[in-house]
Amino acid sequence: TKWGPTFLTFLAACTNYEIVLVQETHLAASELANANDDAKVRGWKAFLSPAKPKTAGASGGVAILVKNIYTASLPFKANTSKAFTGKLEDGVGNDWIFVQLITNHATYHLCSIYLDSSSAFSTNNRSKATEISTFCRTITGPKLMGGDLN
């Protein structure tokens, strides 16, 4: 799912959806602020992790979009006015991100993940799984993960 006009048209049409997990946004770190604005004008809060730079653009990148009617945030340090840090303890890793969603009934932790294509359970993909497992031990409550697991 590349973040662009087609995806934004889809997002605007998602009137019956409240949460969208996105993988392969292909958004470079320098594009995250504009993507956040794109989502905001369509009624969504966007939580974005940048794609990895490549020679011809960027690869990977994930997002969680939550309708503005919900209280949602990054779980820890990034849940402040500080700039995006992209640190494990913030709930943001290399091609994965966690968002804390608070409802009237419970607090949920949502995860969007992208595993490298054609790599099976490569060293890099195992590293991502280890990071997520480590992070999950720091939070309590229900967790939901969705992604492109290749």
Side-chain angles (χ1 to χ4, degrees), residues 83-120:
F84 176 86
T85 61
K87 294 182 180 175
L88 177 62
E89 62 267 22
D90 294 337
V92 180
N94 177 19
D95 280 338
W96 62 269
I97 189 167
F98 267 87
V99 167
Q100 178 177 277
L101 175 70
I102 301 170
T103 71
N104 291 336
H105 307 289
T107 297
Y108 301 93
H109 294 90
L110 313 173
C111 178
S112 182
I113 180 172
Y114 171 73
L115 294 182
D116 296 331
S117 304
S118 306
S119 297

Side-chain angles (χ1 to χ4, degrees), residues 106-149:
T107 297
Y108 301 93
H109 294 90
L110 313 173
C111 178
S112 182
I113 180 172
Y114 171 73
L115 294 182
D116 296 331
S117 304
S118 306
S119 297
F121 214 50
S122 65
T123 301
N124 192 38
N125 286 342
R126 281 194 312 272
S127 176
K128 290 177 191 180
T130 299
E131 287 178 355
I132 290 170
S133 178
T134 299
F135 180 74
C136 281
R137 287 192 293 274
T138 69
I139 57 178
T140 57
K143 300 162 191 75
L144 172 87
M145 179 186 297
D148 184 345
L149 305 178

Side-chain angles (χ1 to χ4, degrees), residues 9-106:
T9 299
F10 163 79
L11 191 61
C14 287
T15 56
N16 293 322
Y17 297 91
E18 296 170 340
I19 300 166
V20 178
L21 306 179
V22 184
Q23 297 79 40
E24 295 193 76
T25 63
H26 300 276
L27 290 169
S30 61
E31 299 173 300
L32 296 183
N34 285 340
N36 190 33
D37 291 343
D38 289 340
K40 189 175 184 177
V41 300
R42 290 165 176 82
W44 297 85
K45 294 176 193 169
F47 300 91
L48 305 149
S49 178
K52 296 180 293 286
K54 293 234 172 186
T55 305
S59 172
V62 294
I64 298 177
L65 295 112
V66 178
K67 281 285 189 167
N68 283 330
I69 60 172
Y70 290 103
T71 301
S73 63
L74 292 173
F76 293 110
K77 289 183 185 174
N79 184 17
T80 67
S81 59
K82 294 180 183 176
F84 176 86
T85 61
K87 294 182 180 175
L88 177 62
E89 62 267 22
D90 294 337
V92 180
N94 177 19
D95 280 338
W96 62 269
I97 189 167
F98 267 87
V99 167
Q100 178 177 277
L101 175 70
I102 301 170
T103 71
N104 291 336
H105 307 289

